[in-house]
Amino acid sequence: MRLTNTLLRQHIGFFFKKHWLQQGKRVPNSTGAEEELAARGITVVDPSEVLKEQRPREDFNIPGMVPPPVALDETHPLWKAEPAYVYGDTNVLLEGVRQAQSLLNTAVYDDLPLKVEEKLEQTKITAQLDRSMQQAVLSALVFDTEQVKNAIVKVPDRPAYKLPRTYGISEGRRNQLILSKLVTHCERFAGRSVNANRKVVFNARFLVPLVKDSERVLLNLKAESMIISQDPLKPLDTSVYRPLDVELPNLFPLKETVSIPVQNIYDWKNEYPISRNYKLSHPHTILIHCSPSDVKNATELPVSRDQIEGRTMLKAFTVAAARARQLYGDDVKTLPSPITVQAVQTDSKTFHFSVYQLNTLDLGSSTERNMWFRKAPLDLYSECGYIVGKPTLADYNKDVLRHFAVFYSN
């Protein structure tokens, strides 16, 4: 039946809407109760004035309930009026090592220190330990029982094409397992006398506030694993390496803080996670994870190898600077004794070994300069996984374990 005006006059929905509008316009009639009460001397009061009681708000925690998120505005407890450049674990520098050099007043050398190279030439890994390490690599990267969705793989030529998701061991667990296996084999190599002066801590957080050219820079970084020791590493002789003879790169027209995000919410303090009263409090070697899902570019471009190495330098500097301020005070510039930290960064396949020596915290000094020694990245293997249903470890490189053993026993 066609809907016409005649039909709609008798429609139940039309009638209900009209009736609702009409009833909503009714004016309540006076019952005379208020006048009667006033004649008897009784005051009429609005109930809301009597029943509504102003009580202070009491916050309490209910077990099992998720607390509400903290607002990221001026009400945040860590809000600062002056913004700062905050460098975190997921950030990388736009210019990589060159920018890190200029920011941290550091001279870069494309080889490890001479005494480390001499130990590498003298160090030999036994065949038994080498075979055990190969089995450990397969155990960590192939035989582990974790099965989760792996990261999304993109085809560069077809960015909109979605490949089927694969299941396997997550990147974080692969990095954790392979580093744990390497540390275990280094303990077997070094012996009890060295192991007694070493300890491994996990997820150590470091905070280092800096002021460079009247701008605030906060390094808020984490070392997934860190080897600590009873005695500090012996500092390198600056008269041999002459860091002042190394020219720092010129980033003009870029600023040294380019690509570092600016925030108003940050904790402006120095933090070293281990008490100075603990006998094994000296930083020895930091073990850093670096997978494609861990870091990203502000420009959304792929992260380059140079940017990854610049991230290693910043993390090593942060650990050394946090320790220096814990020992010598937050206002120290010229250190009484340099602080040396070794760093190993990996994505479970490629390993990057480096050594950082902190000589000064005066980042604008022209009389002192920090030093960073790096080695070309080493691949532990070319392929590791199931090939035609068979677990395979192809092109295993024993030099990775040899470098790791020298760093551990240094």
Side-chain angles (χ1 to χ4, degrees):
M1 185 178 293
R2 191 163 57 93
L3 293 176
T4 62
N5 291 334
T6 304
L7 178 63
L8 288 174
R9 289 194 190 102
Q10 307 301 325
H11 193 266
I12 185 71
F14 177 81
F15 174 78
F16 182 81
K17 293 176 182 177
K18 289 295 183 181
H19 182 68
W20 182 273
L21 292 174
Q22 182 181 359
Q23 294 297 324
K25 295 177 182 179
R26 292 177 59 183
V27 180
N29 298 325
S30 176
T31 61
E34 188 173 353
E35 291 79 1
E36 184 66 24
L37 290 173
R40 294 175 181 272
I42 302 174
T43 306
V44 180
V45 183
D46 188 1
S48 61
E49 298 179 3
V50 179
L51 300 178
K52 188 176 181 181
E53 181 180 356
Q54 298 293 337
R55 295 183 179 179
R57 178 181 176 86
E58 296 182 5
D59 295 331
F60 54 92
N61 297 325
I62 301 176
M65 295 293 291
V66 178
V70 181
L72 302 178
D73 54 16
E74 291 84 353
T75 61
H76 196 280
L78 295 179
W79 177 271
K80 305 290 189 302
E82 183 179 356
Y85 295 93
V86 181
Y87 184 90
D89 291 301
T90 60
N91 304 124
V92 290
L93 298 177
L94 179 65
E95 291 293 319
V97 174
R98 294 177 64 250
Q99 185 176 346
Q101 276 187 264
S102 180
L103 179 64
L104 304 179
N105 189 24
T106 302
V108 175
Y109 303 87
D110 292 328
D111 210 344
L112 294 178
L114 297 176
K115 65 176 184 178
V116 178
E117 291 291 349
E118 292 176 358
K119 288 185 178 180
L120 282 171
E121 295 177 358
Q122 300 169 2
T123 301
K124 303 295 180 183
I125 302 297
T126 62
Q128 180 182 2
L129 193 64
D130 192 44
R131 287 194 301 269
S132 176
M133 186 63 213
Q134 295 184 44
Q135 292 297 322
V137 173
L138 288 172
S139 174
L141 306 183
V142 179
F143 300 142
D144 191 72
T145 57
E146 185 186 53
Q147 290 290 305
V148 297
K149 275 187 177 181
N150 289 333
I152 298 176
V153 179
K154 291 289 185 180
V155 181
D157 298 334
R158 304 173 64 188
Y161 183 72
K162 294 184 179 180
L163 292 172
R165 295 294 293 273
T166 59
Y167 284 79
I169 309 171
S170 63
E171 294 174 346
R173 183 163 177 81
R174 289 167 64 93
N175 294 332
Q176 178 184 355
L177 289 176
I178 195 66
L179 287 174
S180 176
K181 301 292 186 183
L182 283 166
V183 171
T184 301
H185 284 73
C186 288
E187 291 174 348
R188 292 171 55 182
F189 172 83
R192 185 175 299 178
S193 60
V194 176
N195 298 337
N197 296 323
R198 302 283 189 274
K199 189 177 180 65
V200 182
V201 296
F202 301 96
N203 297 324
R205 175 66 62 180
F206 302 88
L207 288 174
V208 175
L210 304 170
V211 177
K212 184 71 179 288
D213 297 333
S214 70
E215 291 183 331
R216 286 188 164 195
V217 180
L218 178 66
L219 303 179
N220 184 0
L221 298 171
K222 177 183 71 173
E224 284 77 10
S225 304
M226 181 173 70
I227 301 174
I228 53 179
S229 61
Q230 185 173 359
D231 300 319
L233 290 172
K234 294 181 179 180
L236 305 171
D237 190 1
T238 56
S239 62
V240 175
Y241 299 99
R242 304 178 64 84
L244 292 176
D245 294 344
V246 179
E247 184 177 357
L248 296 182
N250 184 14
L251 299 180
F252 183 82
L254 298 178
K255 293 177 61 177
E256 297 170 345
T257 54
V258 65
S259 77
I260 301 179
V262 181
Q263 299 180 14
N264 286 86
I265 299 174
Y266 55 89
D267 197 2
W268 190 255
K269 68 175 183 180
N270 185 80
E271 182 177 330
Y272 184 78
I274 302 171
S275 172
R276 61 183 302 174
N277 298 325
Y278 183 52
K279 66 176 183 177
L280 301 175
S281 62
H282 296 282
H284 187 272
T285 306
I286 57 172
L287 312 177
I288 309 166
H289 300 179
C290 185
S291 301
S293 60
D294 294 337
V295 294
K296 58 183 178 180
N297 247 320
T299 57
E300 298 185 1
L301 294 174
V303 179
S304 65
R305 186 70 225 176
D306 188 66
Q307 290 177 320
I308 293 175
E309 293 184 6
R311 179 175 180 260
T312 307
M313 186 201 297
L314 275 167
K315 289 211 172 193
F317 169 86
T318 303
V319 174
R323 176 59 174 174
R325 289 185 172 173
Q326 185 192 49
L327 293 176
Y328 308 123
D330 293 344
D331 299 327
V332 64
K333 293 294 183 182
T334 302
L335 305 185
S337 177
I339 293 181
T340 306
V341 176
Q342 300 175 148
V344 181
Q345 185 165 247
T346 182
D347 60 355
S348 76
K349 179 182 179 180
T350 303
F351 286 77
H352 182 236
F353 295 88
S354 61
V355 179
Y356 193 94
Q357 177 162 307
L358 182 71
N359 297 321
T360 179
L361 280 170
D362 185 3
L363 302 184
S365 174
S366 59
T367 58
E368 287 184 298
R369 192 167 289 168
N370 303 317
M371 299 187 298
W372 187 55
F373 302 83
R374 62 177 175 179
K375 185 95 173 188
L378 300 174
D379 284 342
L380 182 60
Y381 53 86
S382 62
E383 194 168 2
C384 182
Y386 286 100
I387 300 178
V388 198
K390 180 180 178 181
T392 304
L393 177 63
D395 299 329
Y396 169 76
N397 185 5
K398 62 182 180 181
D399 285 341
V400 174
L401 178 58
R402 189 161 57 92
H403 280 72
F404 216 105
V406 170
F407 269 39
Y408 183 84
S409 57
N410 192 7

